Amino acid sequence: MIKILMVVRPAEGGMLRHIETLLKNIDRAQYDPIIAAPAHFLSKMDSTVTQISCEIGSHTNPVNDLKTIKKLSKEIRGRVDIVHAHGIRGALIGVIAASAAGIPSVFTAHNQLLKP
């Protein structure tokens, strides 16, 4: 079974619905989803999904972000097969933590970064 860690920043609206849809429709016979997000976000998630409280703030804070990256990296090393980061903040934490743990990662951008 492939263990997929989804790393999510504080989110509402479309990103929240996207995560809920992924968790609802993932084939649990092939994939074991795990979600790492702030505690208040996790309280909205399916309680059957393994959860890791990961304090990702809405804004960059180098000291707190580095602490979160180190903590997450330790928690996922040897426990996760791939990291799927959501949003820029999720990627900042999730992709770096995955790299430090030797785990491949992917990133989904949920917001348009540049306005036409």
Side-chain angles (χ1 to χ4, degrees):
M1 182 165 313
I2 298 171
K3 293 180 185 255
I4 301 173
L5 174 71
M6 293 183 225
V7 181
V8 186
R9 65 164 172 81
E12 297 294 329
M15 189 183 301
L16 174 61
R17 286 190 302 277
H18 178 77
I19 300 298
E20 289 171 333
T21 300
L22 285 174
L23 293 174
K24 179 180 177 185
N25 293 296
I26 196 166
D27 181 355
R28 301 276 180 107
Q30 294 185 33
Y31 303 99
D32 181 14
I34 304 165
I35 187 158
H40 68 278
F41 186 89
L42 293 175
S43 68
K44 302 172 188 176
M45 294 292 101
D46 177 349
S47 62
T48 66
V49 175
T50 302
Q51 300 179 355
I52 299 173
S53 182
C54 182
E55 292 312 316
I56 302 171
S58 297
H59 302 286
T60 301
N61 180 318
V63 172
N64 289 341
D65 291 346
L66 185 57
K67 287 178 185 177
T68 301
I69 290 165
K70 287 181 177 183
K71 178 184 173 203
L72 184 60
S73 178
K74 283 182 182 179
E75 286 191 47
I76 65 174
R77 183 175 277 116
R79 293 182 51 205
V80 171
D81 298 304
I82 189 164
V83 171
H84 183 185
H86 294 268
I88 297 293
R89 296 286 303 138
L92 175 70
I93 302 298
V95 171
I96 295 172
S99 179
I103 299 168
S105 61
V106 295
F107 157 63
T108 299
H110 287 273
N111 298 28
Q112 184 178 1
L113 300 176
L114 300 174
K115 306 261 182 201

